Amino acid sequence: MRHRSVLVALAVIAAAALVAAVASADDGGRKGDDDQGKNGRGDDAAKIFSAALAPSQVADPAVHGVAAGGAPWVLKRGRVQLAADGTIKIQLRGLVIPIAHGTFPANTALPVTTVNASLYCAPDSSAAAATTASVPISPDGNARITDKLTLPATCLAPTVLVHPNGGLGAYIALPGRRS
């Protein structure tokens, strides 16, 4: 009986060690976590926020008091990354309005000619914690924002809204996914 108890205890310890090893080796499906940055730490060590972007739709809810853009948008791909040093990088590819609107044809970003982005922190009623400079967006909906923000000491539940034409009154892209 004693021999059996020892074997069961050893089996439990071995199973726990195996689970711990598998859990520490699992990267959650993310790629590049093992890459070392210039500071010698893994890239994720310096990241505060990283997400895919989704286009806004007219019926989307306000986020941090900011309304969705006044037209439906589509986005081929977009990504935002915010580092602990305040560096923000946003890439937009194909952020366009898919329908003809006003004097503008379908599948163009026009009348939007520039975009900027704002960092928001909890609570949802808070104003923007920081905002990037505006950058041009091509008629095909391509833009790249690289800026350095002054981050607040604490930013809980960070989110980033992409705004049209340098304003903060509407957003046309935000973290998320649309099928």
Side-chain angles (χ1 to χ4, degrees):
M1 186 68 151
R2 183 174 169 195
H3 183 62
R4 181 180 278 184
S5 296
V6 170
L7 287 176
V8 169
L10 287 174
V12 168
I13 291 170
L18 180 61
V19 167
V22 169
S24 67
D26 178 36
D27 69 358
R30 297 174 300 186
K31 295 182 180 177
D33 284 351
D34 295 332
D35 293 340
Q36 296 295 311
K38 65 182 176 184
N39 58 10
R41 296 180 299 182
D43 287 343
D44 279 352
K47 285 182 192 170
I48 291 176
F49 182 75
S50 180
L53 294 172
S56 71
Q57 300 293 302
V58 177
D60 285 348
V63 177
H64 286 276
V66 180
W73 289 83
V74 296
L75 177 63
K76 286 184 184 172
R77 69 181 181 271
R79 183 131 202 99
V80 58
Q81 292 180 326
L82 177 63
D85 69 356
T87 300
I88 187 168
K89 295 180 181 181
I90 299 172
Q91 293 181 335
L92 302 168
R93 294 290 173 256
L95 181 62
V96 297
I97 302 170
I99 58 171
H101 52 287
T103 60
F104 302 101
N107 298 312
T108 182
L110 297 172
V112 174
T113 58
T114 65
V115 290
N116 66 335
S118 294
L119 169 67
Y120 292 85
C121 306
D124 191 47
S125 60
S126 68
T131 301
T132 69
S134 292
V135 300
I137 186 169
S138 72
D140 293 335
N142 300 331
R144 184 177 299 218
I145 298 172
T146 301
D147 206 344
K148 187 124 181 195
L149 303 177
T150 301
L151 301 178
T154 300
C155 184
L156 302 177
T159 195
V160 173
L161 301 181
V162 177
H163 309 285
N165 293 327
L168 300 180
Y171 67 87
I172 57 176
L174 70 165
R177 180 178 87 75
R178 288 200 188 275
S179 298

